[in-house]
Amino acid sequence: MNKSTFLRFENYLVENLKFTVNYDFDKESKNRIIPELAFGLIKSKDDSKKFNVIIGFSYNKENNQPFLLEGMLRGFFTIGEDGSEEILLNAFAILFPYVRSLITEISRYSSIIPIIIPTINITKAIEDLNSIKIDSSNYREPL
């Protein structure tokens, strides 16, 4: 029997991005390179195999970076007919390099030393898919 258990990455969208110079940055103090992260999973109400994967990120004053930055990326994914929602943990791992790259590019083009976030195990950061589910009314189709 041929099972259709794929995960297809359709596209992504930077939905929100705010950058501000942090004039309170202290070069002598320790800083935190990994931003605060938030995750969301939204299932389409019209197609049970389509999902939005959300990764939000922020650097606030407590991170002690030369900038304050917050943003949100939305990834568009489809799972196969026989696929379990558990495969969507991989969707976060697929989307996270886009977050890393965006932060690096924003910091590089702002005349600040580029921030290069190390790779992290996203699936360990998400303990339970059910805990990050968001109401399907927030589902969006790709542009």
Side-chain angles (χ1 to χ4, degrees), residues 20-36:
T20 308
V21 173
N22 181 10
Y23 289 107
D24 295 327
F25 172 63
D26 182 0
K27 291 180 186 178
E28 306 302 319
S29 295
K30 186 176 181 175
N31 60 6
R32 183 168 178 222
I33 196 164
I34 297 178
E36 301 293 325

Side-chain angles (χ1 to χ4, degrees), residues 12 14 16-17 57 69 71-73 96-108:
Y12 79 98
V14 178
N16 177 336
L17 189 61
F57 59 91
L69 180 64
M72 184 179 87
L73 271 71
F96 188 66
Y98 293 89
V99 172
R100 292 177 63 229
S101 177
L102 179 64
I103 291 170
T104 299
E105 293 302 306
I106 292 292
S107 60
R108 181 168 70 105

Side-chain angles (χ1 to χ4, degrees), residues 11-109:
N11 203 354
Y12 79 98
L13 181 66
V14 178
E15 282 202 356
N16 177 336
L17 189 61
K18 181 180 178 185
F19 176 92
T20 308
V21 173
N22 181 10
Y23 289 107
D24 295 327
F25 172 63
D26 182 0
K27 291 180 186 178
E28 306 302 319
S29 295
K30 186 176 181 175
N31 60 6
R32 183 168 178 222
I33 196 164
I34 297 178
E36 301 293 325
L37 296 169
F39 305 100
L41 178 64
I42 307 170
K43 185 178 199 173
S44 169
K45 59 184 167 191
D46 299 323
D47 184 342
S48 65
K49 299 301 177 184
K50 289 188 170 189
F51 293 84
N52 291 165
V53 167
I54 307 290
I55 300 179
F57 59 91
S58 70
Y59 285 103
N60 53 36
K61 288 191 178 193
E62 289 76 34
N63 293 105
N64 192 36
Q65 291 294 340
F67 55 84
L68 307 176
L69 180 64
E70 62 183 47
M72 184 179 87
L73 271 71
R74 181 185 299 256
F76 304 94
F77 291 86
T78 304
I79 61 174
E81 289 301 316
D82 298 326
S84 161
E85 287 186 17
E86 292 301 313
I87 199 170
L88 289 164
L89 280 172
N90 294 322
F92 290 94
I94 291 168
L95 190 60
F96 188 66
Y98 293 89
V99 172
R100 292 177 63 229
S101 177
L102 179 64
I103 291 170
T104 299
E105 293 302 306
I106 292 292
S107 60
R108 181 168 70 105
Y109 285 115

